[in-house]
Amino acid sequence: GVSKVGYGTNDSRLGGPFIGDNSVVFRSEAEQKNYWKVETKDHYTGKGWIPSGSTSFRIDGDELIPVNSIPSTVETRDESARLYLFMDYNHLIYPAGIQRAQFEREYSLEIDSIKEKVSIFGFNNKPIAPDAYTVEFKIPKYKAAELRETSTANPGQMDAEFIARYTQLPENLPARIKELAESITDGETNWFDKAKAIERHFGGSEFRYDQKDVAVPGENDDYVDQFLFDTKVGYCDNFSTSMAVLLRTLGIPTRWVKGYTGGDFREYSEGDSSKSIYEITNNNAHSWVEVYFPNQGWVPFEPTKGFTNDVSIDFTNADGTPAATETTAPPAAKPQQNVEEESSHSPE
């Protein structure tokens, strides 16, 4: 059937059309647009995503939030944003590089370390949806030369359990998916350039972004295989899942991320001239990919046609000369306009 766009918890069966919804989820007061995370999934079933398990722990609301940490070797700058919630969600909506959340009252946070989903609890130990909170986070500035240092899964940098978890694939995954990944990345020697090559692949003219004319895999169909070779039509879930799976066939750790794009500018902040107000609706629900680099941590990639995540990457060498850039990239697709910016089809 047709589902309504928005954040949902069940991603075990992806595919199918959806209808848009411009209901406001939250507004952010920030210096720039940000991608906003809610959770990650790590186990691909052939039809969708599920978490490989569930382990949780509690911290006080003002403590350092231990998710998606950025290594100290990566250059960062400190930033903060104020979120004003319009929906009663008792989970934290946060940017990559999250450090802390500041609330008006005393809350505790429950962190699911598998999904990196952060739930909010009140003093009576019951889930609560705050009206507003401030997030403190770090914005990384990656260097292409450092991202290109990783070419193999070195056991000294990643343990076997970690590698197995984030390169997991169904036993019956069609072989032509790996063959395609190897063809796309032929000649690339490191994980970063392989990831960029696959990210660029989805900008090709044969792929089309669409929210309505989207197939549902049959009983014997693999969700990614159907998109890559048969339909080549879909939205963020199709593009992001396909990139994650393609990279996993090459032994590169990836995970699937759910959240929201940056929304639409509404006005400049009255209290701080350096900040603006952005409005994020259900239509901004989105999914993307994070790739793990041992010396850089989890780095986001945006394969969905017509979208960019504004990740800062310095393409200069240590001596100041320009590093190799993406000269072979296909022409960029025009961004989607208005409230139909992007959607992650997840039944509520």
Side-chain angles (χ1 to χ4, degrees), residues 29-30 34 36 79-83 133-137 275:
E29 183 178 15
N34 296 284
W36 300 95
E79 189 59 82
S80 67
R82 182 77 171 166
L83 274 65
Y133 51 83
T134 299
V135 288
E136 299 174 355
F137 56 102
K275 294 188 175 182

Side-chain angles (χ1 to χ4, degrees), residues 152-187:
T152 59
N154 187 337
Q157 297 175 309
M158 297 172 285
D159 61 49
E161 181 181 354
F162 179 92
I163 296 171
R165 176 179 164 191
Y166 290 110
T167 59
Q168 168 275 332
L169 291 169
E171 290 184 1
N172 60 346
L173 187 78
R176 61 179 179 173
I177 296 178
K178 182 176 182 179
E179 292 168 1
L180 177 62
E182 291 173 339
S183 173
I184 295 170
T185 59
D186 184 39

Side-chain angles (χ1 to χ4, degrees), residues 59-346:
I59 64 172
D60 291 336
D62 58 352
E63 288 188 63
L64 185 69
I65 300 174
V67 300
N68 196 27
S69 59
I70 301 172
S72 58
T73 53
V74 178
E75 180 184 347
T76 62
R77 62 181 175 88
D78 295 330
E79 189 59 82
S80 67
R82 182 77 171 166
L83 274 65
Y84 301 91
L85 286 299
F86 287 71
M87 291 189 177
D88 292 333
Y89 285 144
N90 67 308
H91 55 253
L92 197 70
I93 301 171
Y94 61 93
I98 180 69
Q99 298 295 295
R100 288 182 172 82
Q102 297 180 348
F103 302 95
E104 300 297 332
R105 295 165 49 190
E106 290 188 7
Y107 294 132
S108 64
L109 302 177
E110 183 175 274
I111 300 171
D112 185 321
S113 58
I114 301 295
K115 297 192 296 183
E116 293 195 345
K117 186 173 183 178
V118 182
S119 301
I120 306 168
F121 288 82
F123 68 94
N124 56 1
N125 207 34
K126 293 183 179 180
I128 193 166
D131 295 328
Y133 51 83
T134 299
V135 288
E136 299 174 355
F137 56 102
K138 291 183 179 295
I139 297 179
K141 183 176 182 180
Y142 300 105
K143 295 181 180 179
E146 294 176 352
L147 288 166
R148 289 181 169 125
E149 290 177 2
T150 303
S151 57
T152 59
N154 187 337
Q157 297 175 309
M158 297 172 285
D159 61 49
E161 181 181 354
F162 179 92
I163 296 171
R165 176 179 164 191
Y166 290 110
T167 59
Q168 168 275 332
L169 291 169
E171 290 184 1
N172 60 346
L173 187 78
R176 61 179 179 173
I177 296 178
K178 182 176 182 179
E179 292 168 1
L180 177 62
E182 291 173 339
S183 173
I184 295 170
T185 59
D186 184 39
E188 306 295 357
T189 59
N190 63 79
W191 286 5
F192 176 68
D193 287 331
K194 289 180 180 181
K196 295 302 288 184
I198 289 177
E199 184 183 53
R200 291 195 303 270
H201 177 71
F202 295 105
S205 59
E206 68 270 29
F207 289 98
R208 178 165 61 89
Y209 177 91
D210 198 293
Q211 301 171 346
K212 304 294 192 296
D213 184 24
V214 183
V216 177
E219 181 180 351
N220 298 319
D221 295 324
D222 180 273
Y223 176 71
V224 167
D225 184 80
Q226 182 186 65
F227 174 67
L228 288 176
F229 299 100
D230 298 335
T231 67
K232 299 186 179 181
V233 176
Y235 42 86
C236 61
D237 292 348
N238 300 92
F239 287 89
S240 58
T241 299
S242 296
M243 178 174 180
V245 169
L246 283 166
L247 285 171
R248 285 187 174 196
T249 68
L250 302 175
I252 300 175
T254 66
R255 63 185 184 183
W256 190 64
V257 189
K258 291 177 60 180
Y260 302 88
T261 56
D264 295 320
F265 170 82
R266 287 292 175 250
E267 60 186 347
Y268 292 106
S269 173
E270 292 184 2
D272 187 343
S273 59
S274 67
K275 294 188 175 182
S276 302
I277 305 296
Y278 300 96
E279 188 171 82
I280 293 86
T281 72
N282 272 333
N283 284 316
N284 293 109
H286 191 52
S287 62
W288 60 98
V289 181
E290 286 181 345
V291 181
Y292 188 77
F293 298 86
N295 62 338
Q296 305 289 292
W298 288 104
V299 178
F301 287 79
E302 178 52 276
T304 300
K305 193 167 187 176
F307 295 85
T308 57
N309 57 10
D310 296 324
V311 173
S312 176
I313 299 178
D314 181 3
F315 285 90
T316 57
N317 295 313
D319 60 2
T321 59
T325 57
E326 303 166 63
T327 56
T328 59
K334 292 182 179 180
Q336 305 292 322
Q337 299 295 322
N338 303 323
V339 298
E340 295 281 326
E341 181 180 350
E342 172 51 20
S343 316
S344 178
H345 155 223
S346 297

